[in-house]
């Protein structure tokens, strides 16, 4: 419909030769997993450190993948135009759900069903009902069957089934459209995006409650799902920009993605820096202000004790610095500088999740008081991240391999290619 | 125009829905030009007063009488004291606060449409943003009135502000009620600036069309001598972008601060962390409902159907449904966490909401806010104006009851059973609420009649003629103006804060 | 084209009119390339790409706004610090006077307020608006520029201005070219407008001036009551006189021979700490004649044990510990050593000069010597600067506190050397040991 735009040819944008990197990711992932397990045994803490490190890594990459799914669904929900050129990258990232599901099964679900409480205190019968050194917790008892190990396992499986199902539908339709260019597929995806978004919101919220918030099973916050989601989309945007730059460098998206698209991703990244800060400040401030013991304890050992500096680092690094840094358009419109900020954001997403998970490692089941046991960052945390990163890359690249890195059949591709910020 | 373009097909199969290969035109009609847009909007304010639309005159007469009643009630209230209201132990925050939150909530859609939709390049906003901004300001006026008179001794209302006073006291900045003073007054004044700034070029249009001296003087002064200079436009657009970028977090903050009034306390049912985004979603929800309630008749009576099109209504219905579900999400999560948290007071508060004395209010709220908007899944119903009017009105009712449920059920059943009570409004409560609608509609109808109801200049920017076609020295800028249909994602300015 | 013979010093400039966006874009590029400086394009809406076509430089407005935003940050924080943490400190809901989380919302709003006002008024100032008398507005044709026409005006002030050349340049693709005469009319507004504006401006200063005067003037006149029924209510306050009753008091006495529910205190042991049937000491703060070793002949028969109405067991002691923690520990300290938060504060303020008597250590020999009845009496009615707690604490709870004080005294008598080897023994601090250290002020 627009003659001045030259549509890229299918051959130009096919992402070839990704099987090698994908396999390398898989091998590195498995090796690093083994190394992490060995390190974990070395701690002699019943694999508790191993479990929590793996949980941080799993949440980190799961967050990116969830963000990618949100981006895809939102794209269709709003009939967006500008984002067509990067949507395939997001769709490919959602290809990591199955492999992350396996990680979740291995690290969370199976051990819990087999009766291990190495991550979740509520899985320990003594901790909940009293016995051994534990007085028991009436608050957890009151939740009754919610924290039953089988029910927990079934819930996690359900979440992943929904995510995998949604991502397969949207990626599948998009890939099919590459071949037949049928605009009715776009209409179909738009049509289903509403229900998909509702499902997505509920599943993601409860996943955040179950996988992260229940680490301290007595603590609760209605905001927690939104808080987790804010980090998801934030880290996804940074990943999207980096992955797109990488594909551009490989020649798969050359001349397709322009600085205008990065500028827009940058604006969203800036907006979600603000949104994360808004959500996390509100959550903190409301509990700080009301000062009710059953709510403040979660913040208390993070803020007053060995974790104080870490918390201040998070507040400064996740809000103040990126907010000032990403404000200027010049930052968003220079690939190199923007890439550096994206990496920075990913580092702080890790720090955020680490801050959420790790204080709970020593809380609860008899390893001490988190207020006096500060961050114990070690090689194990790095290998855990490398491990899940490898597996994530395997899922992502495997999905992309041999397919166009651009949704070339999308009817709004010309609009996206011509997109300009004013 | 229907969105199902009969000619749109692919591979011989007709497409079910708007063809994704083209964006629908924002201004509908065969021969629309800049001049016809100007004419359509400007003539609304130019018809002689005696020949004003009858519906307007009837509406204005009713609104003005309600406003008069409000004035009398205010005198009654101030000379007698707040005892004329139903507020009493334990429900000291009764209808006045419910009305305040209700009106402030409505006052959110205007700035949202102007700022957030501007930043996200939703060009359809140009049709409705002016009226929505006006609605914002008038709603905030109504909102500000209630806490203003709730303080009892209105003649010392200036104590709310950090002004030196005879007791050498300062207000307590650690109180969320003072945050409210700052948030609402900042919001009111920034919205006013935003509204007025957007209106300057259109006031200049009215000035240049004016034929009699009073209009020339009034619009001449209000337009500040705007000449349409491109150098002015350059700074104007930059300032508009900045205001939009500033107003977006401001919108978020205002209703968050209103929610803090409740949420920083320890009252069961109030103290929950999702309150800030939940209140913001609810505010947008009620605001869009009010925009629909106002614009569906206004476009009808003032002949603006080609500028505020069925597509606009459709999009707003979808936003209404989406925000309704966000509110529903908050209701659900609150209930879940009330149980999950294991705090007996919290659990009781929520069970009491749904099945206690005020069960009827709760279920009105749930039906109006979560259930009824679900009918907008159907495109047919989104384009049925009677259904749209009905649901937008039930949404407003539902959102009023939401604030009633939050305020009254929690206060009437607090920690101490001996202080439990049942709140009943007095006739003054009810008539003042009704009177606030008089204030709102008087202002809004005056606006409709005498000011540019649609952002004329902005609508022109999203018309296909607004884009250069040939000889453009910088490459692709003409490429997003395909003949006939402007692409939504292309033209007007998007933004990032402080694009220096 | 209008009068070509006009002298270029008598005209404001030359105006060319165009009917569409392409026309004005092309003309703008030509004028830009011809090197003119004093010219402008006039359009009914912001035309995309015209800045580039005109060679307009980006405005500095964002930087001004950023600067004012930072100013707003400082003002917002500074205002809250000055008012709440410096000039008028007061404790509320246990929050520190300078408490950042609670100060963030207002700071944020002030930043937005400053930035938004700067964006709007900065835009007006940079555009030199309001500017009501523009010679272009005198042109009838120019009025279409706010509707559907586009125009370019090259001003005669431009150093390169040449009427013929400019007219030719503007003529390409235009629908009309005309000259714009200099505006010779004095005022665009009627004279009464200036008068009204001046009066209103002056009048707006009157309230300010009155407020200012009020802050520095004193008045002999009584306060003005806006609504007198609030200040002068038709009711009698407690403890005041009223001639309406024969005895001249506004309050009524209980009917003779009646006792209010719960007020019949006939259990002397429980309510007064003395043996049943003996003389009840007056509810006075302290009377040396009734107490301790110095007591005189009419010393009451203080109860040595506990009244029959209470059972001293573990829950009772727990109750006492909790009540002690609520009512007593702020002065006497959690350990009963007399080092409570109030005591420390009083020490730091040197409150003794106002007659403050420091709270005693409850395990001192002096305190041990008191009988239970005497301790109960003190807890109920107070001693020296200590107030009585009978109004706040029910009698049984006061007895629980007495029991707990006895428990404190018993534990303080333990021999440190009997403590287990791995327990580090730390003597309980006394008020003297903590007096010099300021850091312990939050202690206990």
């Amino acid at each position: 419909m627009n003659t001045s735009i030259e549509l890229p040819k299918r051959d130009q944008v096919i992402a070839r030769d990704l099987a090698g990197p994908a396999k390398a990711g898989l091998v590195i992932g498995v090796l690093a997993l083994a190394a992490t397990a060995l390190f974990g045994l070395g701690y002699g803490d019943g694999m508790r450190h191993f479990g929590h490190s793996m949980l941080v890594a799993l949440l980190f990459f799961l967050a990116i993948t969830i963000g990618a799914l949100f981006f895809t669904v939102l794209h269709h929900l709003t009939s967006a135009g500008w984002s067509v050129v990067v949507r395939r990258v997001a769709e490919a990232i959602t290809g990591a759900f199955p492999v992350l599901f396996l990680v979740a099964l291995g690290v969370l679900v199976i051990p819990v069903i087999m009766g291990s409480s190495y991550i979740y205190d509520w899985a320990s019968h003594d901790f909940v009902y009293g016995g051994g050194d534990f007085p028991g917790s009436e608050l957890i008892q009151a939740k009754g069957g919610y924290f039953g190990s089988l029910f927990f396992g079934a819930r996690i499986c359900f979440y992943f089934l929904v995510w995998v199902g949604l991502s397969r539908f949207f990626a599948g339709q998009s890939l099919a459209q590459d071949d037949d260019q049928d605009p009715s597929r776009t209409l179909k995806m738009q049509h289903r995006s509403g229900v998909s978004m509702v499902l997505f919101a509920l599943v993601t919220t409860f996943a955040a409650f179950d996988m992260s918030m229940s680490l301290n099973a007595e603590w609760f916050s209605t905001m927690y799902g939104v808080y987790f989601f804010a980090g998801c989309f934030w880290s996804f945007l940074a990943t999207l920009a980096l992955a797109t730059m990488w594909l551009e460098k490989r020649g798969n998206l050359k001349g397709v993605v322009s600085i205008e698209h990065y500028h827009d991703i940058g604006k969203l990244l800036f907006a979600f820096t603000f949104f994360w800060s808004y959500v996390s400040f509100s959550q903190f401030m409301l509990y700080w202000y009301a000062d009710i013991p059953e709510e403040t304890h979660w913040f208390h050992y993070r803020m007053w004790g060995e974790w104080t500096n870490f918390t201040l680092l998070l507040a400064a690094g996740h809000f103040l610095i990126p907010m000032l840094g990403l404000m200027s358009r010049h930052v968003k419109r220079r690939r190199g500088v923007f890439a550096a900020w994206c990496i920075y954001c990913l580092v702080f997403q890790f720090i955020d999740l680490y801050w959420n998970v790790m204080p709970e490692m020593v809380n609860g089941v008899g390893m001490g008081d988190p207020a006096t046991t500060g961050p114990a960052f070690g090689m194990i945390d790095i290998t855990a991240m490398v491990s899940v990163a490898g597996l994530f890359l395997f899922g992502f690249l495997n999905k992309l391999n041999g397919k166009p890195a651009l949704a070339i059949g999308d009817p709004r591709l010309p609009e996206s290619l011509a997109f300009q910020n004013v | 125009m229907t969105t199902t373009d009969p000619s749109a097909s692919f591979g011989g199969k007709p497409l079910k829905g708007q063809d994704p290969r083209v964006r629908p035109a924002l201004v509908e009609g065969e021969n629309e030009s800049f001049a016809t847009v100007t004419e359509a909007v400007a003539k609304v304010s130019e018809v002689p007063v005696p020949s004003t639309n009858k519906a307007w005159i009837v509406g204005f007469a009713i609104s003005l009488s309600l406003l008069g009643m409000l004035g009398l009630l205010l005198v009654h209230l101030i000379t007698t004291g707040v005892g004329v209201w139903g507020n009493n132990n334990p429900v000291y925050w009764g209808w006045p606060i419910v009305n305040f939150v209700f009106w402030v909530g409505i006052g959110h859609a205007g700035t949202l449409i102007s700022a957030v939709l501007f930043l996200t390049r939703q060009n359809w906003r140009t049709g409705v943003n002016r009226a929505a901004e006006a609605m914002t300001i008038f709603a905030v006026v109504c909102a500000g009135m209630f806490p203003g008179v709730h303080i009892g001794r209105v003649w010392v209302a200036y104590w709310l502000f950090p002004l030196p006073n005879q007791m050498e006291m300062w207000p307590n900045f650690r109180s969320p009620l003072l945050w409210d003073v700052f948030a609402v007054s900042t919001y009111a004044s920034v919205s006013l600036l935003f509204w007025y700034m957007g209106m300057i070029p259109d006031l200049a249009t009215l000035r240049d069309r004016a034929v009699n001296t009073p209009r020339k003087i009034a619009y001449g002064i209000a337009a500040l001598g705007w000449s349409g200079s491109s150098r002015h436009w350059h700074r104007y657009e930059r300032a508009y972008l900045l205001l939009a970028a500033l107003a977006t977090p401001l919108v978020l903050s205002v209703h968050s601060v209103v929610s803090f009034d409740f949420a920083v306390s320890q009252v069961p049912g109030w103290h929950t962390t999702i309150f800030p985004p939940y209140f913001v979603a609810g505010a947008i929800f009620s605001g869009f409902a009010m925009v629909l309630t106002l614009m569906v008749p206004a476009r009808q009576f003032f002949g603006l159907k080609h500028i505020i099109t069925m597509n606009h209504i459709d999009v707003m219905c979808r936003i209404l449904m989406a925000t309704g579900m966000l509110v529903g999400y908050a209701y659900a999560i609150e209930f879940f966490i009330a149980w999950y948290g294991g705090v007996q007071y919290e659990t009781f508060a929520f069970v009491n909401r749904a099945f206690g004395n005020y069960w009827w209010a709760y279920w009105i709220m749930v039906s109006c806010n979560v259930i009824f908007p679900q009918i907008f899944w159907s495109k047919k119903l989104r384009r049925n104006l009677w259904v749209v009017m009905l649901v937008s009105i039930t949404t407003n009712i539902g959102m009023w009851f939401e604030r009633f449920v939050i305020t009254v059920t929690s206060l009437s059943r607090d920690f101490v059973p001996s202080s439990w009570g049942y709140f009943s409004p007095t006739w003054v409560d009810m008539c003042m609420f009704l009177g606030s609608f008089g204030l709102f509609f008087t202002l809004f109808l005056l606006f409709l009649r005498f000011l540019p109801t649609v952002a004329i200049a902005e609508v022109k920017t999203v018309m296909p003629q607004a884009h250069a076609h040939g000889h453009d020295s910088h490459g692709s800028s003409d490429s997003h103006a395909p003949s006939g249909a402007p692409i939504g994602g292309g033209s007007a300015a998007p933004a990032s804060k402080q694009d220096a | 084209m209008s009068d070509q013979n006009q002298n270029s010093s008598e005209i404001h400039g030359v105006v060319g009119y165009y009917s569409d966006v392409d026309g004005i874009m092309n003309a703008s590029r030509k004028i830009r390339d011809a090197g003119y400086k004093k010219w402008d394009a006039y359009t009914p809406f912001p035309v995309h790409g015209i800045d580039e076509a005109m060679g307009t430089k980006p405005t500095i407005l964002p930087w001004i706004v950023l600067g004012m935003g930072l100013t707003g940050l400082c003002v917002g924080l500074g205002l809250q610090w000055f008012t709440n943490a410096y000039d008028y400190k007061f404790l509320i809901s246990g929050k520190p006077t300078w408490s950042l989380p609670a100060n963030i919302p207002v700071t944020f709003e002030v930043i937005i307020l400053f930035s938004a006002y700067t964006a709007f008024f900065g835009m007006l100032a940079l555009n030199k608006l309001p500017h009501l008398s523009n010679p272009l507005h005198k042109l009838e044709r120019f009025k279409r520029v706010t509707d559907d026409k586009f125009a370019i005006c090259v001003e005669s002030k431009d150093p390169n201005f040449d009427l013929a050349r400019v007219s030719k340049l503007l003529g390409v693709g235009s629908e009309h070219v005309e000259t714009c005469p200099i505006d010779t009319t004095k005022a665009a507004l009627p004279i009464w407008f200036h008068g009204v504006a001046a009066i209103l401006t002056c009048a707006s200063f009157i309230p300010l001036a009155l407020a200012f005067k009020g802050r520095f003037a004193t008045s002999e006149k009584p306060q003005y009551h806006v609504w007198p029924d609030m200040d002068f209510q038709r009711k009698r306050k407690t403890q005041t006189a009223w001639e309406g009753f024969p005895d001249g008091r506004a309050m009524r006495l209980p009917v003779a021979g009646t006792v209010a529910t719960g007020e019949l205190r006939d259990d002397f042991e429980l309510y007064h700490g003395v043996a049943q049937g003996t003389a009840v000491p007056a509810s006075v703060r302290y009377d040396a004649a009734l107490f301790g070793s110095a007591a005189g002949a009419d010393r009451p028969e203080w109860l040595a044990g506990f009244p029959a109405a209470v059972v001293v067991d573990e829950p009772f002691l727990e109750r006492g510990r909790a009540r002690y923690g609520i009512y007593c520990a702020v002065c006497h300290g959690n350990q009963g050593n007399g080092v409570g938060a109030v005591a420390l504060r009083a020490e730091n303020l040197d409150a003794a000069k106002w007659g403050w008597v420091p709270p005693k250590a409850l395990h001192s020999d002096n305190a041990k010597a008191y009988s239970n009845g005497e301790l109960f009496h003190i807890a109920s009615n107070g001693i020296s600067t200590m107030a009585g707690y009978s109004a706040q604490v029910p009698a049984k709870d006061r007895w629980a506190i007495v029991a707990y004080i006895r428990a404190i005294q018993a534990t303080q008598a333990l021999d440190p050397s009997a403590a287990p080897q791995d327990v580090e023994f730390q003597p309980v601090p006394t008020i003297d040991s903590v007096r010099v250290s300021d850091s312990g002020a939050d202690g206990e």
Side-chain angles (χ1 to χ4, degrees), chain A residues 89-118:
Chain A
V89 182
E91 287 164 1
I93 290 176
T94 61
F97 271 128
V99 63
L100 292 176
F101 184 31
L102 291 181
V103 177
L105 275 180
V107 177
L108 308 182
V109 177
I110 293 174
V112 163
I113 290 179
M114 283 165 56
S116 167
S117 60
Y118 80 132

Side-chain angles (χ1 to χ4, degrees), chain B residues 305-325:
Chain B
K305 281 193 266 190
H306 59 298
I307 295 174
I308 304 166
T309 66
M310 283 315 289
N311 288 335
H312 287 89
I313 309 273
D314 187 293
V315 170
M316 285 195 281
C317 288
R318 281 191 275 166
I319 292 179
L320 199 68
M321 182 170 73
T323 46
M325 281 193 284

Side-chain angles (χ1 to χ4, degrees), chain A residues 70-94:
Chain A
F70 174 77
F71 184 80
T72 312
V73 180
L74 185 72
H75 174 97
H76 293 296
L77 190 64
T78 57
S79 315
W82 72 274
S83 48
V84 174
V85 293
V86 290
R87 205 190 64 223
R88 176 57 48 79
V89 182
E91 287 164 1
I93 290 176
T94 61

Side-chain angles (χ1 to χ4, degrees), chain C residues 195-370:
Chain C
V196 171
I199 290 168
L200 283 178
T201 310
C202 294
S204 70
F205 285 103
I206 293 173
L208 266 180
L210 285 176
F212 193 74
K213 174 176 166 279
R215 285 185 64 76
F216 296 98
T218 50
S219 170
E220 297 291 313
K221 279 182 254 169
Q223 187 192 351
Y224 179 71
H225 297 277
V226 185
W227 275 278
D229 62 347
M230 233 171 138
D231 297 324
F232 309 107
Q233 297 178 14
R234 294 192 56 193
K235 70 172 187 191
R236 294 292 135 191
K237 293 188 175 167
T238 50
Q239 310 290 359
T240 52
W242 187 47
E243 60 287 355
F245 288 122
D247 61 354
R249 313 188 207 195
M251 289 168 80
R252 301 292 79 215
L253 293 169
V255 178
T258 60
V259 177
T261 309
E263 296 292 309
L264 177 69
R265 303 194 160 161
D266 58 348
D267 183 344
F268 283 20
E269 291 184 356
L270 182 62
Y271 289 106
H272 304 292
V274 296
Q276 191 70 25
T278 61
V280 175
S283 295
V284 291
R285 179 162 289 199
Y286 179 72
D287 185 350
L290 301 180
F291 280 92
S293 52
D298 49 355
R299 185 180 195 271
E301 289 184 39
W302 293 116
L303 206 58
F306 285 88
V310 302
V311 183
V312 183
D313 53 4
E314 200 184 329
F316 189 66
L317 273 177
E318 266 304 316
R319 177 81 183 164
R321 193 173 69 86
R323 298 299 102 183
Y324 179 87
I326 293 168
Y327 294 105
C328 316
V330 282
C331 287
H332 289 284
N334 279 330
Q335 293 148 305
N337 54 353
V339 192
V342 172
L344 277 169
R345 172 100 174 128
E347 276 300 316
N348 286 336
L349 293 174
D350 196 13
K353 69 185 177 209
W354 307 319
W356 163 265
V357 180
K360 298 292 181 298
L362 293 173
H363 45 70
S364 64
D365 291 341
N366 190 22
K368 281 182 189 167
Y370 284 128

Side-chain angles (χ1 to χ4, degrees), chain B residues 124-198:
Chain B
W124 59 270
R125 69 184 257 289
T126 53
V128 291
N129 70 340
R130 173 68 43 73
E133 285 166 37
M135 181 198 82
T136 285
I137 290 154
F138 306 146
V140 172
V141 168
C142 294
M145 181 190 77
F146 282 102
V149 294
H150 195 186
I151 60 172
R153 292 187 286 162
V154 286
W155 51 97
V156 290
Y158 66 93
W159 286 358
L160 290 168
F161 297 95
L163 300 168
N165 63 35
Q166 68 272 36
M167 289 184 284
E168 306 272 318
M169 286 187 343
W170 296 107
N172 170 26
F173 279 96
R174 285 154 291 167
S175 159
L177 299 179
L178 192 67
W179 306 346
D180 235 3
V181 172
F182 273 75
V184 174
S185 51
T186 300
Y187 184 65
S189 61
V190 171
S191 297
L192 195 65
L193 285 188
F194 205 37
W195 180 57
Y196 177 57
M197 184 170 152

